[in-house]
Amino acid sequence: MTKLASLDDLLVHELQDIYHAENQILKALPKLAKAATHPDLKRAFEDHRRETEGQVRRLEQVFKLLGHPVKGKKCEGMAGLIEEGKKLLAADAEPEVLDAALIAAAQKVEHYEIASYGCVCTYAEMLGYDEAHELLGQNLDEEETTDERLTALAESVINIEAEEGSGEGEDSSR
Ligand SMILES: [Fe+2]
């Protein structure tokens, strides 16, 4: 059973959760990149995979700074989000619609991570772990930037789709 007697315990518990989550994401991102059609979306997933490798290294540094073994604890939340993503990959979907769906799935993942990093950043700051706080803050910034990038892509992809949809047949009638 997880023992949560102090904020320190909670920090370690949350770090183990996000460490496991990041490792699950590392495995899932290449599949998302492969399934994506839009080249910008493919690139976003590939870039984020590389970024995630760095995030995992930062988390390992944080464990060391806190004097804890580098260890994950199964993150059921992320497992569920990834499971839902896998179902999308198996769906009979139009490529543009699948791209939009992949963005939605990825943004759910990003929001989970933003929540986690937001919490561990706050705990590290409260406990005076300045170096750990700095490293976790870098991960948080990257997740937020990725989320914004996905929003921008979603809007452009959705706009293109809408344009194609409403434009159909119009050219031939003119
Ligand atoms: Fe991440």
Side-chain angles (χ1 to χ4, degrees):
M1 197 199 289
T2 309
K3 190 164 179 282
L4 298 173
S6 64
L7 196 58
D8 265 286
D9 290 346
L10 182 58
L11 173 60
V12 172
H13 170 77
E14 289 295 328
L15 286 171
Q16 290 172 340
D17 178 279
I18 192 70
Y19 184 68
H20 189 273
E22 291 288 18
N23 279 292
Q24 290 187 70
I25 293 162
L26 259 187
K27 283 188 220 153
L29 279 166
K31 290 173 195 159
L32 295 184
K34 198 171 163 229
T37 300
H38 199 290
D40 292 352
L41 185 57
K42 264 189 196 293
R43 204 169 311 121
F45 287 142
E46 281 158 8
D47 289 350
H48 195 51
R49 189 194 53 79
R50 273 189 293 277
E51 214 165 50
T52 302
E53 285 172 348
Q55 293 176 349
V56 166
R57 281 195 293 273
R58 281 191 205 113
L59 283 173
E60 288 166 353
Q61 263 178 281
V62 170
F63 278 116
K64 280 176 199 144
L65 282 167
L66 300 182
H68 277 270
V70 175
K71 197 179 94 182
K73 200 177 275 174
K74 183 163 188 195
C75 175
E76 300 284 0
M78 189 55 70
L81 290 176
I82 288 176
E83 199 49 46
E84 286 189 359
K86 277 190 190 155
K87 283 186 188 152
L88 287 175
L89 297 186
D92 174 21
E94 291 298 322
E96 300 83 4
V97 182
L98 183 62
D99 275 358
L102 294 178
I103 290 175
Q107 284 196 296
K108 288 175 190 172
V109 167
E110 287 311 311
H111 283 238
Y112 185 101
E113 293 189 283
I114 289 166
S116 287
Y117 283 123
C119 290
V120 289
C121 269
T122 303
Y123 305 154
E125 188 177 26
M126 286 173 73
L127 293 165
Y129 300 136
D130 296 342
E131 229 178 309
H133 176 237
E134 168 70 27
L135 289 163
L136 296 168
Q138 288 172 21
N139 281 11
L140 177 60
D141 285 347
E142 286 179 356
E143 306 300 6
E144 284 173 342
T145 304
T146 298
D147 184 48
E148 284 160 17
R149 186 174 171 186
L150 288 171
T151 296
L153 265 172
E155 284 169 356
S156 67
V157 169
I158 285 164
N159 287 349
I160 290 164
E161 270 174 45
E163 218 178 84
E164 281 172 357
S166 63
E168 248 174 82
E170 261 178 40
D171 288 343
S172 57
S173 67
R174 274 177 201 161

